[in-house]
Amino acid sequence: MKKHLTRIGLLMVFAFSLTLFSGCAEKQAVVKDEAVQEQKAVAAQAASTTTVDDEAARKAKEAAEREAAEREAAKREAALKAEADRVRAEKNAAALADLNIQNIYFDYDKSSIRPDAREILKANAELFSKKSATIVVEGHCDERGTAEYNMALGERRAQAAKEYLVNLGLNASRIETISYGEERPLDPGHDEKAWAQNRRVQFLLK
Amino acid sequence: MNIKYRLSFRVLLTALFMVGAVGPVMAKVYIDIEAPGFQQFPIAVCDFQIKGTQSIRSSDSGITIADNIRNYLGLSGIFNLLDKKSFLDGLEPGVPETIRFSDWSVIGADFLLRGDMTVKGKDATVESRLYDITRGQTLFSKQYAGTTDDLQALARNITADILLALTGDEGDFNTKIAFVIKKNTGSDIYTMNYDASDIKNLTNHHSIVLAPRWSPDGQYFAFTSYKNGRPEVFLRHLKTGKEKRVSSFRGLNLCGSFSPDSKKLLLTLSKDNNEEIYVLDIDTLALNRLTNSFSIDVSPAWSPCGKKIAFVSNRSGSPQIFIMDADGNNVKRITYEGNYNTSPSWSPRGGRIAYEGLINHKYQIFSIDEEGNNLIQLTFDNANNEYPSWSPSGRQIVFHSSLGSKSRINIMNANGMNARVLKEYRDQLVMPAWSPRLKE
């Protein structure tokens, strides 16, 4: 029975990494398309503001080209970074799926650990105690409200989860916190269902 | 002299009106364009005449510079620009200028701007004259030197003088607005001129970037970026473009605001296990903690006099605006309406704080005085209006407005009137920050 479960688990990890691969390919295509549109927008901007003089128009064009080149370079760098992030995330996802680590969720504008989250944290703590890797606790918020306040709220949620894990016996020096505020939603929707999914703490091992 | 007389009469009227309406706090000693009773100045701006023998292109310059001035006057939100098609008093070329004031008053102009321009190669010399039509007087006659390459700069200087003559303040013409463009692939900070021209990227991080802040002396720019995978605060020297990481403690490093002397930067850090407000000395990087509470303390904003700091805290259960002394003492809550009030921004003229608050499930911009009195709601539409930031003159507020898939940077007068779209984009345009006056 246990063997059977592990096999299913492995299959799921495999399927998940496949979706990651295809998801990324799509994203890169979008990035390229956006870059082209952006250059057009920059050129249009330059054209609309510099009808005064040919000289100014030429300068603006040069600046736009330079800017576009810089942007391309940055995009390439970002793509490399994204690739590295993806590899890391994939490893993490595999490790977490293997371990069955679950997210915990929060009420609106709150950072207190809900009763349903306590059971999950206990189960997670047990799984973490079998590993030696550093635990990264990520705090997230829904899209409502101010980005800065949500950054603080996300950090508060991560801290609350960390404290809970420490109280369950995990070593504090093993646990890092990071807040992503409202910047990394799980569900891109704009309703209560999406928001409830996004007010969360996620765990990573590194 | 006379103009002052006239303006003070208007102020008196405005003040009388205000006492009944909102309370005596708003009454100012000069013309109060924030007052609800304020009427826009009707002004006629003539195309500038080109002196001497000129090419066809330079006569276009006279039209261009006048168009630029009209545009800038419109942006200030306090002028009603009369259509030049309605002008009766034409100028005959070569005839010395005489102003037929009755021809202007009959079309409703209170003020008239005329000018002429001499172009030699790339050098442009402009003389511009502002008239008070009702009193039949010249308010100023002034010469400007510039180049045909940058007629916009000449127009900005002339417009600033018009504002100075009529309101005692040069306005916001030599300013920029920084903002964040948020995309799925990452965010970056951009800047644009006050008229939405000349959009440039300030950062190339393609990461989570937030809390853009100008130093009051216009030298530095600070912000938070995740470019190294976690939130850190960066300081950029605007002229050299040099970027320095100034805060990278464990946990959250969130950029606050600069001190009025631009020597210190307020931060929100969670290095002591809780989000607290700290002050960082930019030269020595010495750090001093200001708040002590088990709750969230975030978004600090320094008062223009340097003595006080406004910030957001949820110590009373929901996010509200508080004020404390610059050393962290005398903490006082100033917002009590609603249960979500954030993003405080202090008027450069002092006294008032703009912020965003949740009302009827929408975020709207409000302003309140530093004692917590005289609360005014400034936006009322269907959109979510957030991140207010004052212009250096204290007369205008820039803010983010989103409705459905539309994301905009808007500007309004500080009393909430004359709201207008500055920039609309397909990606999220957020966190606008108005620059100080930038010396060119």
Side-chain angles (χ1 to χ4, degrees):
Chain A
M1 185 65 194
K2 205 174 174 196
K3 220 173 188 182
H4 190 63
L5 269 179
T6 324
R7 211 170 287 159
I8 291 176
L10 274 174
L11 255 172
M12 278 172 69
V13 169
F14 181 66
F16 186 56
S17 39
L18 271 182
T19 49
L20 266 181
F21 267 112
S22 55
C24 253
E26 237 171 65
K27 217 179 219 170
Q28 270 166 8
V30 174
V31 171
K32 228 175 190 176
D33 185 41
E34 270 185 9
V36 172
Q37 280 186 17
E38 211 159 86
Q39 278 172 31
K40 277 186 194 159
V42 168
Q45 183 72 34
S48 69
T49 52
T50 54
T51 44
V52 179
D53 204 316
D54 296 346
E55 174 72 10
R58 192 182 57 77
K59 270 189 190 159
K61 195 169 161 253
E62 274 176 19
E65 278 166 3
R66 203 166 47 239
E67 231 166 78
E70 276 170 16
R71 209 167 298 190
E72 271 310 302
K75 282 247 160 83
R76 274 196 299 277
E77 199 181 300
L80 283 175
K81 219 163 80 187
E83 173 66 14
D85 284 351
R86 187 188 62 75
V87 169
R88 210 181 57 224
E90 203 177 302
K91 273 189 193 158
N92 261 315
L96 292 179
D98 201 24
L99 274 173
N100 193 23
I101 301 292
Q102 289 180 54
N103 296 345
I104 58 168
Y105 300 92
F106 293 81
D107 290 333
Y108 170 70
D109 193 25
K110 291 283 180 288
S111 57
S112 45
I113 305 292
R114 295 197 318 216
D116 62 326
R118 288 180 202 149
E119 293 308 311
I120 296 169
L121 283 171
K122 275 177 206 156
N124 286 355
E126 202 161 309
L127 294 163
F128 288 141
S129 65
K130 291 174 191 153
K131 299 269 169 181
S132 59
T134 301
I135 305 153
V136 181
V137 182
E138 290 184 0
H140 298 267
C141 302
D142 70 36
E143 62 178 349
R144 292 173 295 169
T146 316
E148 285 178 32
Y149 180 78
N150 281 341
M151 276 294 165
L153 183 60
E155 182 67 25
R156 204 92 285 279
R157 285 174 178 165
Q159 294 277 1
K162 175 183 170 175
E163 264 168 49
Y164 206 92
L165 291 176
V166 170
N167 286 338
L168 289 170
L170 288 176
N171 193 337
S173 63
R174 262 187 79 192
I175 309 173
E176 285 177 12
T177 59
I178 184 166
S179 172
Y180 287 105
E182 63 185 73
E183 312 295 328
R184 296 270 161 89
L186 266 187
D187 185 329
H190 306 287
D191 50 21
E192 185 45 57
K193 189 176 147 279
W195 295 331
Q197 281 293 302
N198 294 334
R199 294 189 299 264
R200 71 200 189 276
V201 156
Q202 260 177 274
F203 303 91
L204 294 178
L205 291 173
K206 73 169 189 187
Chain B
M1 200 63 211
N2 274 317
I3 181 78
K4 274 192 188 151
Y5 219 117
R6 209 179 117 189
L7 289 180
S8 54
F9 181 64
R10 280 198 188 177
V11 173
L12 189 65
L13 277 179
T14 318
L16 284 172
F17 181 82
M18 288 301 306
V19 170
V22 191
V25 169
M26 296 285 289
K28 298 265 160 68
V29 285
Y30 48 87
I31 185 156
D32 191 352
I33 65 148
E34 286 170 40
F38 169 71
Q39 300 280 318
Q40 293 182 319
F41 296 114
I43 189 168
V45 176
C46 296
D47 290 337
F48 282 28
Q49 299 292 308
I50 304 297
K51 275 184 167 172
T53 48
Q54 302 289 339
S55 68
I56 291 164
R57 214 174 73 183
S58 49
S59 93
D60 284 349
S61 301
I63 297 169
T64 306
I65 195 165
D67 280 343
N68 282 328
I69 292 170
R70 287 182 198 113
N71 178 35
Y72 288 131
L73 286 172
L75 281 173
S76 76
I78 59 169
F79 289 95
N80 167 22
L81 286 151
L82 301 179
D83 186 350
K84 68 179 177 185
K85 284 187 205 121
S86 70
F87 297 176
L88 305 170
D89 184 16
L91 253 195
E92 289 154 54
V95 178
E97 184 172 273
T98 51
I99 308 289
R100 288 198 298 272
F101 287 100
S102 58
D103 278 3
W104 293 104
S105 61
V106 78
I107 65 163
D110 278 4
F111 301 97
L112 167 69
L113 184 79
R114 273 214 163 133
D116 42 54
M117 201 170 169
T118 316
V119 180
K120 274 195 194 113
K122 283 204 171 299
D123 295 330
T125 314
V126 175
E127 194 191 303
S128 101
R129 295 170 296 277
L130 181 68
Y131 302 98
D132 181 335
I133 298 300
T134 355
R135 301 215 150 242
Q137 284 174 343
T138 306
L139 295 177
F140 71 72
S141 173
K142 202 172 162 185
Q143 290 233 343
Y144 303 81
T147 65
T148 50
D149 283 345
D150 201 356
L151 292 173
Q152 289 191 348
L154 274 167
R156 279 199 292 272
N157 290 336
I158 294 166
T159 315
D161 280 337
I162 298 170
L163 255 87
L164 189 63
L166 298 183
T167 69
D169 182 285
E170 66 177 76
D172 302 308
F173 299 104
N174 291 309
T175 63
K176 287 178 187 286
I177 288 160
F179 56 100
V180 173
I181 299 185
K182 203 168 149 183
K183 300 179 188 180
N184 292 333
T185 53
S187 306
D188 267 303
I189 299 170
Y190 290 72
T191 62
M192 62 182 163
N193 285 344
Y194 167 57
D195 59 355
S197 66
D198 197 24
I199 297 182
K200 285 181 185 151
N201 52 335
L202 192 88
T203 63
N204 243 321
H205 290 193
H206 298 274
S207 182
I208 297 170
V209 175
L210 72 164
R213 305 283 193 265
W214 301 86
S215 71
D217 64 4
Q219 300 269 312
Y220 292 96
F221 197 88
F223 55 96
T224 289
S225 170
Y226 281 59
K227 78 165 185 176
N228 299 325
R230 49 184 296 266
E232 296 170 315
V233 176
F234 294 83
L235 185 70
R236 168 186 281 238
H237 190 264
L238 283 167
K239 269 226 177 84
T240 63
K242 267 191 191 150
E243 209 167 275
K244 179 167 114 177
R245 193 172 65 180
V246 293
S247 179
S248 180
F249 296 97
R250 79 186 176 95
L252 192 62
N253 294 267
L254 201 52
C255 186
S257 88
F258 282 91
S259 58
D261 64 5
S262 302
K263 293 195 164 114
K264 290 172 187 152
L265 182 63
L266 291 167
L267 302 172
T268 299
L269 307 176
S270 68
K271 69 185 186 72
D272 299 331
N273 294 330
N274 191 33
E275 300 70 35
E276 302 285 358
I277 291 165
Y278 297 76
V279 58
L280 178 80
D281 186 295
I282 287 166
D283 283 335
T284 64
L285 298 184
L287 197 65
N288 191 13
R289 180 166 159 180
L290 297 179
T291 56
N292 274 295
S293 133
F294 286 113
S295 52
I296 292 172
D297 295 318
V298 71
S299 298
W302 224 307
S303 77
C305 68
K307 288 187 180 137
K308 292 190 168 159
I309 292 166
F311 64 102
V312 172
S313 177
N314 71 346
R315 59 186 70 189
S316 45
S318 63
Q320 298 291 346
I321 315 286
F322 288 72
I323 285 186
M324 62 183 170
D325 292 348
D327 60 6
N329 290 323
N330 292 321
V331 177
K332 188 187 163 206
R333 177 174 166 183
I334 61 162
T335 54
Y336 288 90
E337 298 280 329
N339 58 11
Y340 199 104
N341 295 311
T342 56
S343 296
S345 170
W346 216 302
S347 161
R349 280 200 258 163
R352 291 193 79 78
I353 292 155
Y355 64 93
E356 62 175 272
L358 188 62
I359 181 166
N360 301 327
H361 309 290
K362 293 279 177 192
Y363 295 91
Q364 301 288 3
I365 312 287
F366 295 81
S367 85
I368 195 165
D369 71 29
E370 60 185 68
E371 301 299 326
N373 299 322
N374 296 300
L375 172 70
I376 306 176
Q377 185 173 345
L378 302 176
T379 58
F380 293 89
D381 59 5
N382 245 340
N384 278 309
N385 298 302
E386 299 179 76
Y387 310 109
S389 170
W390 297 77
S391 73
S393 72
R395 290 199 182 121
Q396 304 190 87
I397 293 172
V398 66
F399 59 101
H400 156 81
S401 181
S402 63
L403 181 61
S405 62
K406 282 203 173 83
S407 183
R408 292 166 168 165
I409 304 272
N410 286 0
I411 287 182
M412 63 183 165
N413 291 2
N415 62 357
M417 287 164 76
N418 201 29
R420 53 223 183 262
V421 178
L422 188 62
K423 191 80 200 160
E424 189 177 301
Y425 208 55
R426 70 202 144 79
D427 289 304
Q428 282 277 312
L429 295 174
V430 291
M431 303 174 206
W434 211 313
S435 80
R437 287 176 180 137
L438 301 167
K439 284 149 198 101
E440 295 201 340

